Amino acid sequence: MLHLRLITPAEKTDEVVRKIENTVGTAHLVVLPGAARNPAGDVVLCDVAREAGDGLLASLRELELDRTGSIAVENIDLSLSRRADKAEEEAPGEGADAVLWEGLTDATHEESTLSVTYVAFITLATMIAACGVVLDNAILIVGAMAVGPEFGPLAGICTALVQRHPRLAWRSVIALLVGFAVAMAVTVGFSLFMDAAGLFHKSGLEGTRPNTAFVYAPDAFSFIVAVLAGIAGTLSLTSAKSGALVGVAISVTTVPAAANAAVALAYGDTGQTLGSTNQLLLNLLGIVVAGTLTLLAQKHFWKQQRQTNTD
């Protein structure tokens, strides 16, 4: 269930209430006349089944409530109510399958912002991965994958393509490109420093690496895994199962490939630099293609389901 807190101008309150009452899957409607002060107006509270939430939000935005008032949405972790149970039963579809497009756009907008924190995380992840490739340590590679925040901008690109938000697409691409560029540049310097300190050596990069050689040797499986991870990551976002993102993060060779390219560049190994760059680009492409197609499929599925329920 979702909880909606609305601030509505007094002249729009009746229409807002009608929208809520006519939406299948709503419960616990509360109207507090004149309770809002900034902006001034009435406060309307209600709960709505997740599968009916996107339609209700769309109808509220048609009233320009997001401009003249306020729309706040929260997830309800626990609701002990027969009315809530009935609302979920009446709402079409399953809550786990529902896509809250407004929430997805907002979440990816935040995750795809080029910020100091984002750059710090992707840089630290790349430096950890650099240690992993030189030491041929799979544990460090997995740790770097989990730390990397690059799925946020990738999800932002997918959402922007499906929802036709050029500004979100642009900011996501910038975050992705600038983030990896800064991370790889810093990692080149980090590698040279570690080499000067005697902690890194070129033989560690060019020697036999049974645990990490895959990061600079792209093949068909690289793209297949990226596609599968893109689907899983997108589903985890749209279904609010964020825990699955950890599994997605450690299944795709993005940060490790960038790290290997940076270390190889520091040592002048053109072969590994090109191979790692190809691995990186292949994985990014696979995730974006799979994520976009997954969102398109979900959008089509819910459109068909709404039409069926309307008929």
Side-chain angles (χ1 to χ4, degrees):
M1 294 288 288
L2 302 172
H3 178 68
L4 272 61
R5 186 184 72 248
L6 313 174
I7 297 179
T8 74
E11 65 274 11
K12 290 187 177 182
T13 300
D14 289 342
E15 194 171 0
V16 168
V17 170
R18 280 196 299 271
K19 291 281 188 184
I20 296 172
E21 291 176 336
N22 292 334
T23 300
V24 177
T26 58
H28 310 144
L29 176 61
V30 177
V31 180
L32 304 174
R37 293 292 181 268
N38 184 19
D42 303 331
V43 174
V44 178
L45 309 173
C46 74
D47 296 339
V48 59
R50 182 180 175 83
E51 51 270 41
D54 190 62
L56 178 56
L57 289 175
S59 64
L60 292 174
R61 293 198 66 179
E62 288 176 359
L63 298 176
E64 297 188 339
L65 200 59
D66 55 323
R67 296 173 181 269
T68 59
S70 171
I71 303 174
V73 183
E74 299 175 343
N75 282 303
I76 300 177
D77 295 326
L78 177 63
S79 180
L80 303 178
S81 167
R82 290 185 179 179
R83 290 183 180 274
D85 295 339
K86 183 180 179 181
E88 289 188 315
E89 291 174 1
E90 292 176 346
E94 293 294 330
D97 298 331
V99 181
L100 197 64
W101 291 103
E102 293 294 341
L104 178 62
T105 301
D106 185 69
T108 52
H109 182 279
E110 181 179 348
E111 292 295 326
S112 61
T113 300
L114 183 62
S115 63
V116 174
T117 301
Y118 169 81
V119 174
F121 268 115
I122 196 169
T123 301
L124 290 170
T126 306
M127 292 167 70
I128 293 171
C131 296
V133 298
V134 173
L135 299 175
D136 193 35
N137 189 315
I139 295 177
L140 291 177
I141 293 295
V142 171
M145 289 175 169
V147 172
E150 73 280 5
F151 191 81
L154 291 171
I157 294 173
C158 298
T159 303
L161 291 174
V162 174
Q163 294 293 87
R164 299 180 182 179
H165 287 306
R167 291 183 63 183
L168 176 58
W170 180 241
R171 70 185 297 133
S172 299
V173 170
I174 290 177
L176 200 65
L177 295 180
V178 174
F180 271 115
V182 172
M184 292 175 71
V186 172
T187 302
V188 169
F190 173 71
S191 301
L192 294 174
F193 170 78
M194 294 292 280
D195 181 78
L199 298 175
F200 277 11
H201 194 272
K202 189 175 183 179
S203 61
L205 180 72
E206 298 183 343
T208 303
R209 290 163 52 191
N211 294 318
T212 59
F214 67 93
V215 301
Y216 62 87
D219 54 20
F221 280 105
S222 300
F223 187 75
I224 291 172
V225 171
V227 168
L228 296 176
I231 296 172
T234 303
L235 289 175
S236 71
L237 285 177
T238 57
S239 63
K241 295 184 181 298
S242 58
L245 280 178
V246 177
V248 172
I250 63 177
S251 64
V252 184
T253 315
T254 49
V255 166
N260 199 87
V263 176
L265 184 63
Y267 283 121
D269 190 330
T270 307
Q272 284 202 38
T273 300
L274 291 176
S276 300
T277 302
N278 289 336
Q279 177 77 277
L280 173 62
L281 295 176
L282 192 64
N283 279 272
L284 295 178
L285 177 63
I287 292 174
V288 170
V289 170
T292 302
L293 292 177
T294 300
L295 288 176
L296 286 172
Q298 289 180 294
K299 193 170 187 177
H300 175 74
F301 170 78
W302 276 101
K303 183 178 180 180
Q304 292 294 110
Q305 191 167 55
R306 280 185 183 175
Q307 289 177 350
T308 301
N309 290 319
T310 302
D311 296 340

